[in-house]
Amino acid sequence: MVDSVRAAVAKLIVRGSQETDPAVAHYWRMPKYFFHITHDRTEIDREGEELPDEHAAWKEATVTAGQILQGIDGKLVPGWDWRMEVTDEFQNTLYVLLIQAQKPKVDRRRTRGCGRRRP
């Protein structure tokens, strides 16, 4: 079996092609990564994307997140977080990008009078 795999790999290198027989195809397939989004609802990525490695998946996640956040167009409001979860083909979570929209609670006693003392 090892010799047949080596022969097939050698054939690919010579041919410069990624076409393989089914016995060797497993060795040439790139891993698949999935990008699930949660905002006002969860959108599960069922297709995924083949990328060379986890670093490429991180780069794709950050670029895509930036594009999506630009398109939110004012729909991100305090109390509604935006989240992208990057998983591998076995659904192991690799990365989570989280944008939290919060409105801080203001202590009215501290802001009254703008901190000035009366003479």
Side-chain angles (χ1 to χ4, degrees):
M1 176 68 172
V2 173
D3 291 333
S4 66
V5 170
R6 284 187 183 148
V9 169
K11 233 182 350 184
L12 288 173
I13 292 170
V14 170
R15 234 191 296 155
S17 168
Q18 289 189 349
E19 296 178 59
T20 62
D21 63 53
V24 182
H26 169 74
Y27 297 104
W28 289 99
R29 190 177 64 78
M30 285 195 292
K32 206 170 224 189
Y33 298 92
F34 298 85
F35 303 87
H36 311 299
I37 306 291
T38 302
H39 181 45
D40 50 343
R41 66 182 188 281
T42 299
E43 296 179 29
I44 301 295
D45 178 5
R46 300 197 190 286
E47 292 179 29
E49 187 167 338
E50 288 185 356
L51 297 166
D53 55 29
E54 290 181 16
H55 300 291
W58 171 254
K59 184 175 180 180
E60 182 66 25
T62 57
V63 168
T64 302
Q67 293 169 346
I68 291 171
L69 289 169
Q70 281 182 329
I72 285 181
D73 195 27
K75 295 176 187 159
L76 185 64
V77 296
W80 285 28
D81 299 341
W82 184 93
R83 173 185 168 110
M84 175 186 282
E85 183 177 350
V86 181
T87 63
D88 63 15
E89 55 200 338
F90 307 106
Q91 293 306 308
N92 297 313
T93 300
L94 304 175
Y95 305 109
V96 175
L97 285 81
L98 179 62
I99 306 296
Q100 291 186 318
Q102 298 178 346
K103 183 175 180 183
K105 293 182 180 176
V106 178
D107 183 356
R108 300 281 181 207
R109 292 174 291 174
R110 291 181 66 199
T111 60
R112 196 175 301 151
C114 299
R116 295 183 188 173
R117 292 185 186 186
R118 290 189 167 177

